[in-house]
Amino acid sequence: MSSAKPEREYFLDSIRAYLMLLGVPFHVSLIYSTQRWAVNSQEASMWLTVFNDFIHAFRMQVFFVISGYFSYMLYLRYQPQRWLKVRMERVGIPLLTAIPLITLPQFFMLKNLTDKVGDWNSFSLYDKYNTLAWELISHLWFLLVLVILTALGMLTFRWLRKQQRRIDYQQVGWGKLTLAFMAYALMWCLLRRALFYTVPSVFADGLFSVAVMQTLTFLPFFMLGALAWKHQALKALFVRFNPVMCFGAIFVFAAYTLNQRFSSGDGWLYEIDAIVSTLMGLCMLNLCFSVGHKLLNSHSPRIMYLVNASLFIYLVHHPLTILYGIYVMPHIGSDTLGFFIGLAMVFAVAFALYEIHLRIPLLRFLFSGKPQRKQPIKTN
């Protein structure tokens, strides 16, 4: 355990906040993309489809690298049991808060105002449970994955802490890192294909898809972040701009887009997606870290405001986006204009709600998991 606090990684805070806030343009553009969502425009926009694909291709991979980095940093600062308690509170309390306050009302909104849920009365008991699992987890899935990765961290971080240095990380470059991640992605693909041949119905189960398959998808990125904290040579690799990784992102994204357009769920869509998304995550990891380290590695009150607001904005934006799609989007003829109006409206309402919640200590606690200290009473 170390009580000394390291210098704040401002650029990582900033990248994490921006990745979280990208959830807003991602879901607003989803309305206008070729992807089927809760609400869709009559005519899909090609540029918004490509824009939506681009965000989805890399955002969460980089996010989980940063999450692993900070999680391992805190693991070394606290005793393991204390670390587990703190991390579970910071992640679990917002998750448990958002279900009754956000995704449950959102479920009734989808059920009554859209055709996404379907004929609820005709569902079997399992279908009702599974539909609720999908809809109550909804856009909170990453918090559930973080809870699971935190629990696993009691084992993986203990192993990482005791691990003797068998690898010279000064010699680890993007080539070796890519090969290692490709090997893991192929194992994920083999597991999925085996399940697809034996128990294909398991992929329709919302809880299994998130708790197992999504956790396994992002586990190596989470651990890569932890490794970057332990071995600073890896972090130095990430923040040093590599033109090959930059141009690689362009070609990999082209492959990602082609896979989304021409593959099917009954074929190899998800296996190809796993491999391509892994490559895209590594390429964009270098781009995000190198650009962020150069431009965002300093204290800024405005950036810190966004850092503090980003989780709340992400949690509340989803139902706001659906409401926009139901009531406002049909009255706007242009997809491009509708996208920017949707962005402005969702962000405006979300930030207004954020400011309101700041003035209510109970809500501040529920949406952050941080104990709220009482302000000292001033005496003359």
Side-chain angles (χ1 to χ4, degrees):
M1 182 182 70
S2 174
S3 59
K5 289 188 177 182
E7 184 179 349
R8 182 143 191 168
E9 306 276 11
Y10 289 110
F11 79 101
L12 292 181
D13 278 331
S14 300
I15 295 171
R16 181 172 56 179
Y18 284 127
L19 291 174
M20 192 79 71
L21 294 172
L22 270 178
V24 180
F26 171 74
H27 285 112
V28 175
S29 64
L30 199 54
I31 295 175
Y32 299 101
S33 75
T34 56
Q35 301 288 344
R36 188 177 183 277
W37 197 50
V39 187
N40 288 105
S41 61
Q42 290 186 348
E43 297 293 333
S45 166
M46 183 51 63
W47 86 265
L48 286 171
T49 298
V50 174
F51 176 72
N52 182 268
D53 285 346
F54 177 70
I55 295 174
H56 190 257
F58 78 93
R59 183 170 68 104
M60 297 314 297
Q61 296 93 306
V62 179
F63 173 85
F64 277 102
V65 171
I66 298 173
S67 296
Y69 184 92
F70 284 127
S71 292
Y72 189 66
M73 176 190 74
L74 293 175
Y75 179 83
L76 296 179
R77 184 182 301 174
Y78 299 120
Q79 292 288 353
Q81 291 75 16
R82 171 66 177 165
W83 170 82
L84 183 64
K85 179 179 182 295
V86 170
R87 292 304 299 160
M88 284 297 188
E89 288 175 348
R90 298 288 175 84
V91 179
I93 291 176
L95 171 63
L96 294 176
T97 297
I99 290 175
L101 296 185
I102 297 177
T103 57
L104 182 59
Q106 177 181 278
F107 164 73
F108 286 107
M109 180 172 65
L110 291 172
K111 178 176 174 290
N112 296 322
L113 300 178
T114 74
D115 59 359
K116 184 177 187 293
V117 174
D119 186 4
W120 176 262
N121 294 327
S122 67
F123 286 1
S124 67
L125 185 61
Y126 171 76
D127 287 337
K128 289 182 177 180
Y129 147 77
N130 193 37
T131 301
L132 279 173
W134 279 110
E135 299 303 335
L136 295 187
I137 294 173
S138 185
H139 63 298
L140 311 178
W141 67 267
F142 79 99
L143 288 175
L144 178 58
V145 171
L146 276 177
V147 167
I148 297 171
L149 290 176
T150 298
L152 291 176
M154 289 294 287
L155 298 175
T156 57
F157 287 175
R158 183 185 304 167
W159 167 81
L160 185 60
R161 189 176 188 178
K162 294 180 178 179
Q163 184 189 42
Q164 299 298 319
R165 186 169 179 175
R166 300 175 182 176
I167 301 174
D168 182 4
Y169 283 89
Q170 296 284 353
Q171 303 300 317
V172 174
W174 287 109
K176 292 180 179 179
L177 204 57
T178 299
L179 288 176
F181 270 68
M182 282 297 94
Y184 181 90
L186 288 173
M187 289 190 294
W188 186 95
C189 293
L190 289 174
L191 171 63
R192 187 191 184 279
R193 187 51 47 169
L195 293 173
F196 180 75
Y197 286 138
T198 55
V199 281
S201 61
V202 75
F203 294 110
D205 188 284
L207 193 57
F208 176 85
S209 295
V210 174
V212 177
M213 299 308 293
Q214 291 283 59
T215 298
L216 290 176
T217 296
F218 294 107
L219 174 61
F221 291 97
F222 186 78
M223 292 304 298
L224 180 62
L227 281 168
W229 171 264
K230 181 171 183 176
H231 304 287
Q232 291 296 299
L234 277 180
K235 178 186 169 185
L237 176 69
F238 298 164
V239 300
R240 186 169 58 248
F241 177 75
N242 188 314
V244 174
M245 300 303 288
C246 179
F247 286 108
I250 299 173
F251 292 106
V252 173
F253 178 63
Y256 178 91
T257 302
L258 291 173
N259 183 51
Q260 293 294 315
R261 299 293 169 274
F262 299 107
S263 297
S264 68
D266 293 333
W268 296 87
L269 170 67
Y270 297 104
E271 286 80 5
I272 296 174
D273 180 80
I275 294 172
V276 173
S277 296
T278 297
L279 288 172
M280 189 68 179
L282 290 175
C283 291
M284 291 303 295
L285 172 64
N286 178 237
L287 190 61
C288 291
F289 272 47
S290 58
V291 173
H293 187 262
K294 183 176 182 180
L295 301 179
L296 301 172
N297 199 25
S298 61
H299 176 70
S300 165
R302 293 180 181 179
I303 296 298
M304 292 310 298
Y305 176 83
L306 293 178
V307 169
N308 294 327
S310 59
L311 176 58
F312 182 90
I313 299 300
Y314 180 83
L315 293 179
V316 302
H317 89 278
H318 200 265
L320 295 175
T321 303
I322 295 173
L323 285 172
Y324 164 79
I326 294 173
Y327 291 110
V328 181
M329 178 269 294
H331 302 288
I332 303 175
S334 167
D335 285 356
T336 299
L337 178 62
F339 169 71
F340 286 108
I341 290 176
L343 271 186
M345 292 181 66
V346 172
F347 269 127
V349 177
F351 275 108
L353 291 174
Y354 174 70
E355 287 296 327
I356 293 172
H357 117 285
L358 286 179
R359 290 153 176 79
I360 305 173
L362 177 60
L363 288 181
R364 289 205 310 269
F365 166 70
L366 291 176
F367 282 100
S368 69
K370 300 178 182 178
Q372 302 300 306
R373 297 178 181 177
K374 292 183 178 180
Q375 296 296 326
I377 299 175
K378 293 182 180 181
T379 59
N380 292 328

